[in-house]
Amino acid sequence: MNILVISGSPRKNGNTEIMANVFSEAAEKNGNTVSRVNLSGTKVGFCTDCEYCLTHQGVCVKKDGMDEIYEKMEKAELLVFASPIYYFGMSAQMAAVFDRLYAHLNIGYHPTGCMLLLDSGDPHVYAGAIAQYKGTADFIGWKDQGIVTVAGMKEKGDMKNSPDLEKVRELARSIH
């Protein structure tokens, strides 16, 4: 299966990126092809609701890192969104990606499934991000194939020692 993993943390080599790497490695060991986009090194501007895309076959007027994401989405069968939780929601970088999915409404989406990986210091802050993810998946017609949340991320690098990384590996191994 062709998988696109989008890591939504602005922090290079942080907990979310570690989690996305572990997922990617496990998915590849299971025979899948994985491509990655780290939003820490990819600029994605926010949607301005200009609706240019609606009259131009899904082409967004903005020319930025989202073009690479759109291109990789066309080849993907499964999307994996990985994000830290910042004040009850996904990172601003990941929120921009979700908003920019709007451009493809009229032309459709190639991926048929999606997964969500979230990390936070607090185990009680995931509801908003999960609701956004599930609502988007439902609206677009993607099948949710799993969600993993990892709490206890207080410092950069805490993910390396989290026992919950096994849940991330299990989710990756569940892909057929």
Side-chain angles (χ1 to χ4, degrees), residues 49-99:
D49 193 31
C50 69
E51 297 195 357
Y52 178 90
C53 58
L54 296 181
T55 59
H56 291 84
Q57 293 78 42
V59 174
C60 183
V61 71
K62 293 185 181 281
K63 300 299 170 211
D64 59 15
M66 195 65 191
D67 292 332
E68 173 191 4
I69 294 170
Y70 291 140
E71 184 178 317
K72 288 182 176 188
M73 280 177 59
E74 291 299 316
K75 298 172 187 166
E77 298 165 90
L78 177 72
L79 295 178
V80 179
F81 300 100
S83 181
I85 296 295
Y86 293 155
Y87 206 67
F88 303 98
M90 291 186 230
S91 69
Q93 291 76 8
M94 187 62 82
V97 168
F98 269 69
D99 286 349

Side-chain angles (χ1 to χ4, degrees), residues 77-79 111-116 133-134 136-138 140-146:
E77 298 165 90
L78 177 72
L79 295 178
T112 57
C114 55
M115 294 178 165
L116 182 63
Y133 160 80
K134 285 186 173 184
T136 300
D138 184 54
I140 291 173
W142 290 331
K143 181 179 185 243
D144 170 29
Q145 295 186 3

Side-chain angles (χ1 to χ4, degrees), residues 26-47:
E28 286 174 337
K29 284 182 183 175
N30 202 30
N32 298 289
T33 301
V34 179
S35 60
R36 292 275 309 274
V37 174
N38 291 326
L39 296 180
S40 63
T42 304
K43 179 160 176 42
V44 175
F46 54 88
C47 178

